[in-house]
Amino acid sequence: MTYQVMFGGGFSTCKYTAFDPVSKTFLYLSWERNEKAPEPVASIWSHTIGKTVKLFKFPGAIQALPVIPSVDDLKFCPFTGSKDLTKTVLLKYD
C-alpha cells in the first residue's frame, strides 16, 4: 500500500496533519502564518505514552483528532496496522 501524506506548511501557511479512523483518510488543518494557531478542543491523557495529547477539530472529521507532528512520528500504518513502514520524503520546502 502506498499513500501520500503532507506535513508542515509553507511560506505563508502552517498545517496540522491527522488520520481520521472513521473516514480512513488523512486530514489537514491549515491556517495563515500571520494568524493565531488553532486551539485544541479537548485533551486526553494517553496511558501508552504517559502524556496529555491535545485534540483538534479537523475539517471533515466527526470527532476531534490528535496531530501527527511529522512523518517520523507515524509508527504504524493506519490502514493495515503494520509496524513495517517504509517512509520516503519526496519534497521538503519552506
Side-chain angles (χ1 to χ4, degrees):
M1 174 175 280
T2 301
Y3 49 91
Q4 181 177 337
V5 183
M6 297 176 285
F7 293 93
F11 289 114
S12 61
T13 61
C14 297
K15 181 183 295 187
Y16 286 159
T17 301
F19 182 76
D20 179 21
V22 174
S23 66
K24 296 196 182 311
T25 58
F26 283 94
L27 300 175
Y28 305 98
L29 178 59
S30 300
W31 67 96
E32 298 293 320
R33 283 206 181 270
N34 60 356
E35 295 176 354
K36 185 179 174 188
E39 294 288 327
V41 295
S43 63
I44 57 170
W45 181 78
S46 171
H47 65 283
T48 58
I49 61 172
K51 294 182 181 178
T52 300
V53 178
K54 296 176 184 174
L55 303 175
F56 294 84
K57 179 64 179 150
F58 281 77
I62 295 170
Q63 72 270 349
L65 301 168
V67 171
I68 305 169
S70 74
V71 68
D72 294 327
D73 294 302
L74 195 57
K75 304 294 183 190
F76 293 88
C77 174
F79 301 103
T80 66
S82 173
K83 194 172 181 179
D84 299 325
L85 294 180
T86 302
K87 303 168 196 170
T88 304
V89 177
L90 297 177
L91 179 65
K92 283 187 176 183
Y93 66 91
D94 195 21

